[in-house]
Amino acid sequence: MLNITVLVSGGGTNLQALLDAQSRGEIQNGQIHCVISSNPNAYALERAKKAEIDTEVILRKTFETAEQYDQALVELLKKHDTDLIVLAGFMTIIGRAVVEAYPNRIVNVHPALIPSFCGKGYYGLRVHQAALDAGVRITGATVHLVDEVCDGGAILMQKAVEVRQDDTPESLQRRVMEQAEWKLLPQAVSLICQGKIQVQNGKAIIKE
Ligand code: GAR
């Protein structure tokens, strides 16, 4: 059984999707046992408390350097015996020390079809604004492993979502969450926990 720690910063709807999947028995061989937030006011923390899951808050600004922050985050993850880290709307960039401590053991959900609308500066509503600005007809979500490159690790799952002509960033975000993110993230986490994902030459192979 893998101990899962979920990292959050905001509303926590992806965390909620994971918690709901867990209560339906859909996260096989994994258990969410800790939620770490980069924001003390994140509603995600309320969701975790309601589910009786341990919570922690770690603020980047309380550390002088990114290296000190990364070290403290690794210590916190180890304190909670973390086997698998899920970035579910986590808005602080994590550095090399964290990636090296958890190789192929960090998964992220991104609200676009990588390699479109991703990398530094593309997060939250900005991703959907960029998709609308580009006039794409299709966007979606990607669940991927995390390496040192922002939004650059092996892709695990993707799902396309229609863009409508009257969409706002908010309406598009909601559709991408409902139709893609909340479904893909629990599925991908369960596959990792069951040892069904292998990485070869930077690409993920899923053993069904
Ligand atoms: C989600 O759409 C997630 O994909 C995105 O932030 C939102 C968090 O919502 N993450 C990123 O943009 C990371 N680059 P939530 O707190 O309700 O899960």
Side-chain angles (χ1 to χ4, degrees):
M1 182 72 86
L2 265 62
N3 281 334
I4 303 168
T5 295
V6 184
L7 272 55
V8 297
S9 299
T13 64
N14 279 288
L15 168 66
Q16 192 64 55
L18 289 164
L19 293 170
D20 293 346
Q22 175 162 285
S23 38
R24 292 192 300 265
E26 289 170 11
I27 310 264
Q28 287 178 44
N29 201 38
Q31 179 80 28
I32 301 161
H33 73 134
C34 181
V35 169
I36 299 177
S37 178
S38 65
N39 166 11
N41 302 316
Y43 184 67
L45 288 169
E46 302 306 315
R47 298 180 190 273
K49 283 173 193 155
K50 208 168 164 200
E52 297 182 343
I53 288 169
D54 283 352
T55 61
E56 302 269 7
V57 174
I58 182 167
L59 302 177
R60 168 66 185 85
K61 66 177 181 207
T62 58
F63 298 90
E64 250 174 55
T65 66
E67 288 71 25
Q68 286 167 356
Y69 166 79
D70 285 337
Q71 204 48 53
L73 182 56
V74 169
E75 279 164 25
L76 201 51
L77 290 160
K78 294 220 159 123
K79 181 183 130 191
H80 287 277
D81 294 323
T82 304
D83 299 310
L84 176 67
I85 303 167
V86 181
L87 307 183
F90 190 61
M91 299 303 178
T92 305
I93 290 186
I94 58 167
R96 184 179 291 273
V98 186
V99 174
E100 282 177 358
Y102 291 92
N104 293 334
R105 280 284 175 268
I106 311 175
V107 59
N108 180 47
V109 60
H110 183 75
L113 295 173
I114 290 175
S116 289
F117 312 120
C118 65
K120 212 160 180 263
Y122 286 96
Y123 57 86
L125 284 172
R126 289 171 182 232
V127 180
H128 302 292
Q129 183 67 63
L132 293 177
D133 290 347
V136 294
R137 300 291 186 198
I138 297 285
T139 184
T142 303
V143 177
H144 64 95
L145 294 175
V146 173
D147 63 14
E148 306 80 44
V149 181
C150 182
D151 294 329
I155 291 170
L156 304 179
M157 287 186 168
Q158 291 188 301
K159 191 164 189 292
V161 174
E162 174 202 6
V163 180
R164 296 188 188 148
Q165 299 208 143
D166 59 353
D167 263 328
T168 60
E170 289 79 9
S171 66
L172 184 55
Q173 178 183 55
R174 181 77 195 179
R175 191 174 319 109
V176 169
M177 284 174 158
E178 277 176 1
Q179 294 185 6
E181 295 186 50
W182 300 341
K183 293 180 179 162
L184 294 189
L185 187 59
Q187 284 172 13
V189 168
S190 185
L191 287 172
I192 295 172
C193 290
Q194 293 172 75
K196 289 190 173 174
I197 290 182
Q198 265 181 9
V199 180
Q200 281 175 17
N201 303 324
K203 289 184 194 158
I205 295 164
I206 300 179
K207 297 182 280 173
E208 289 300 343

